[in-house]
Amino acid sequence: MPEETTQTRTIAVDMVARVEGEGALHVTVKGDAVEDVALKIFEPPRFFEAFLRGRHYEEVPDIVARICGICPIAYQMSAVHALEQIFGLRVEGALRDLRRLIYCGEWIESHALHVYLLQAPDFLGYESGIAMAKDHGAVVSRGLRLKKAGNAIMTLLGGRSVHPVSVKVGGFSRVPLRRELEGLKDELLWARDAAVETMRWVAGFDYPEFTPDYNYVALRHPDEYPFNEGQIVASSGLQLAVTEFEEHFTEHQVSYSTALHCALHGLPYLVGPLARLNLNQEQLTPLIKQILADQGIVLPLRNPFHGIIARSVEILYALEESLRLIERYELPAVSIAPVVVRAGTGMACTEAPRGILYHRYHVDDDGVVREAKIVPPTSQNQSRIEQDLRLFLPRLLHLPDKEAARGCERVIRCYDPCISCATHFLNLEIKRESGT
């Protein structure tokens, strides 16, 4: 409820849904100027890096999968790649394809959830996906079925869709038979057509004019749209090996958040689908390029509200890629490549649905983890979210407090923050001070 004094006005808005995790936004306004923006993440620290210390490397994929119920594959993939670097192991052929396929499943289910249930209600004027479903039942059903198609891939390859258990250092505990993958095809073909309709649907939304100057950061692979491998590149021209990550990216603590902020050379940057799409547009399929052209969408996209377009593009890409990988699948001779344990330090970065996810591990001669470092995408985007709110807030301040809060939430949801990974959202408090 609003509280006013002669000098300061403080507005507290109840918790709002449609992001993963719990947080708050505090804004201080003096006169017409935004004095301070603080995206507060107040979930308790989860201590996963500490949990990993003293655990055998074989336990790592199952532990890190518990960090997130939406993007567990990303955590597993960054972990196994970092550990395999230590052991001098490179997974190729059908096992590499299966890792790429299960990552497709995660992108499909995560992006479909965000596009249809978390962000689309903002553009269509609904409080929630459930409210939207009353008027757009067929659309919401399409989104849920798309999500289910992604979950089916994860369940087949990972043993279950939430916190999968089959991913191992060196491969999988079990690989699917060809007929099992073939069993997914009919639904994936339906989903591919639904993804085309999704791209056309979101292209017709009414987008606010807002084009901040971003430094986009993503992986880039010479031959394919990035999932598990590639160089780290930025729109500023930066190109570096994943092993150089900590020479350029630094984390720091802020007093109001239990999540670290990550900066590139001391400055905010943007990771996620928008960055990935802009930096890897040459790897898009002919079908996607044709639909973008048909809808009059020209890359690069510079408006954060266009993140829903980028996610829709990536849903279609992941479905086309899934069908391609299934088509060429041949049952590998072994499900896990042999592992030779040795001491060392390994680093890896993969493309989680929300952006690059960096892992570093140090293990001893027995393969026991002695040190672990994990930098999730949401912690990398936090400073950029605050900066965008500073830029967008002046156009909201004339609105009643409740509407201003909704406008802030719309901006934040563009990044699909996974606060539980970094750490339910959103308490907004605006503190208004006189300009004199």
Side-chain angles (χ1 to χ4, degrees):
M1 296 293 293
E3 297 175 1
E4 293 188 15
T5 69
T6 55
Q7 295 295 320
T8 302
R9 186 179 180 193
T10 301
I11 304 136
V13 179
D14 291 337
M15 188 175 290
V16 180
R18 289 198 276 135
V19 298
E20 216 294 313
E22 295 185 356
L25 178 66
H26 285 209
V27 175
T28 302
V29 178
K30 191 170 185 178
D32 295 327
V34 179
E35 290 278 302
D36 189 40
V37 175
L39 179 61
K40 296 187 172 184
I41 291 177
F42 50 78
E43 288 199 0
R46 301 171 74 201
F47 303 117
F48 270 93
E49 289 157 318
F51 292 156
L52 288 162
R53 290 201 293 268
R55 308 303 291 258
H56 195 260
Y57 82 87
E58 292 179 321
E59 298 177 279
V60 172
D62 290 339
I63 294 173
V64 298
R66 269 69 178 174
I67 294 175
C68 185
I70 300 174
C71 52
I73 298 300
Y75 285 91
Q76 292 184 314
M77 289 296 142
S78 289
V80 297
H81 277 257
L83 291 165
E84 287 163 4
Q85 184 189 67
I86 298 171
F87 304 145
L89 174 62
R90 184 167 178 80
V91 172
E92 300 283 10
L95 292 177
R96 181 181 186 273
D97 280 0
L98 290 174
R99 286 184 170 179
R100 193 165 171 82
L101 179 58
I102 197 171
Y103 226 137
C104 286
E106 181 161 283
W107 276 21
I108 296 165
E109 63 87 14
S110 178
H111 284 348
L113 173 67
H114 184 79
V115 167
Y116 280 88
L117 295 182
L118 303 185
Q119 197 171 15
D122 284 336
F123 293 97
L124 300 179
Y126 294 93
E127 290 288 340
S128 68
I130 295 173
M132 192 175 91
K134 294 178 182 176
D135 298 327
H136 302 277
V139 169
V140 172
S141 295
R142 183 175 70 197
L144 291 173
R145 189 171 166 183
L146 267 171
K147 186 181 188 307
K148 188 176 180 182
N151 284 348
I153 296 173
M154 294 172 65
T155 301
L156 177 59
L157 300 184
R160 57 194 190 194
S161 63
V162 179
H163 310 318
V165 293
S166 293
V167 173
K168 303 295 180 187
V169 175
F172 293 82
S173 59
R174 175 192 180 276
V175 293
L177 302 173
R178 180 168 181 79
R179 61 176 170 77
E180 292 177 296
L181 288 179
E182 292 280 348
L184 296 172
K185 283 182 64 176
D186 286 349
E187 191 63 16
L188 294 179
L189 287 168
W190 172 88
R192 186 180 60 186
D193 293 342
V196 170
E197 291 307 310
T198 303
M199 280 187 63
R200 293 172 177 157
W201 179 54
V202 301
F205 288 172
D206 185 15
Y207 292 95
E209 292 289 336
F210 185 48
T211 53
D213 185 15
Y214 288 121
N215 187 17
Y216 299 108
V217 175
L219 293 182
R220 179 184 287 156
H221 188 279
D223 304 319
E224 58 196 14
Y225 203 81
F227 283 90
N228 277 316
E229 302 163 20
Q231 277 196 318
I232 296 173
V233 299
S235 51
S236 63
L238 180 76
Q239 292 187 49
L240 53 96
V242 171
T243 52
E244 300 174 284
F245 179 93
E246 291 179 60
E247 297 174 23
H248 299 266
F249 296 82
T250 53
E251 292 180 297
H252 62 278
Q253 184 78 61
V254 295
S255 60
Y256 51 83
S257 175
T258 55
L260 296 172
H261 283 211
C262 192
L264 170 57
H265 301 152
L267 296 172
Y269 59 100
L270 182 72
V271 301
L274 206 60
R276 210 156 44 216
L277 179 65
N278 288 337
L279 293 170
N280 294 279
Q281 54 183 288
E282 69 278 5
Q283 301 291 358
L284 296 175
T285 66
L287 175 60
I288 293 173
K289 291 177 180 176
Q290 184 62 54
I291 298 170
L292 288 171
D294 292 346
Q295 300 302 317
I297 298 171
V298 178
L299 302 180
L301 300 175
R302 303 190 182 281
N303 184 334
F305 291 95
H306 288 164
I308 195 170
I309 295 176
R311 288 180 177 85
S312 302
V313 167
E314 290 192 338
I315 293 173
L316 179 54
Y317 179 87
L319 284 159
E320 289 191 271
E321 183 71 353
S322 297
L323 289 162
R324 187 183 72 83
L325 293 167
I326 291 172
E327 191 64 37
R328 75 180 191 190
Y329 179 70
E330 293 183 6
L331 187 69
V334 295
S335 63
I336 303 180
V339 176
V340 178
V341 175
R342 65 188 187 194
T345 302
M347 297 84 103
C349 195
T350 71
E351 283 284 359
R354 291 154 191 81
I356 59 172
L357 169 60
Y358 174 78
H359 284 217
R360 171 171 54 80
Y361 298 93
H362 176 70
V363 302
D364 62 19
D365 289 331
D366 296 321
V368 175
V369 175
R370 294 303 174 195
E371 186 181 355
K373 182 181 180 66
I374 297 173
V375 185
T378 295
S379 73
Q380 298 180 68
N381 275 343
Q382 281 184 104
S383 295
R384 187 62 244 186
I385 297 172
E386 289 182 348
Q387 195 165 30
D388 280 2
L389 285 165
R390 287 177 186 273
L391 295 171
F392 198 79
L393 265 163
R395 66 179 76 186
L396 300 174
L397 294 178
H398 68 287
L399 297 172
D401 297 329
K402 190 173 183 178
E403 290 182 34
R406 286 177 179 165
C408 291
E409 291 178 57
R410 284 195 66 182
V411 172
I412 293 166
R413 272 194 288 271
C414 292
Y415 307 89
D416 191 17
C418 189
I419 293 174
S420 292
C421 281
T423 149
H424 211 113
F425 195 76
L426 171 71
N427 281 332
L428 170 64
E429 184 178 284
I430 301 179
K431 184 177 180 181
R432 300 180 189 270
E433 297 177 342
S434 67
T436 58

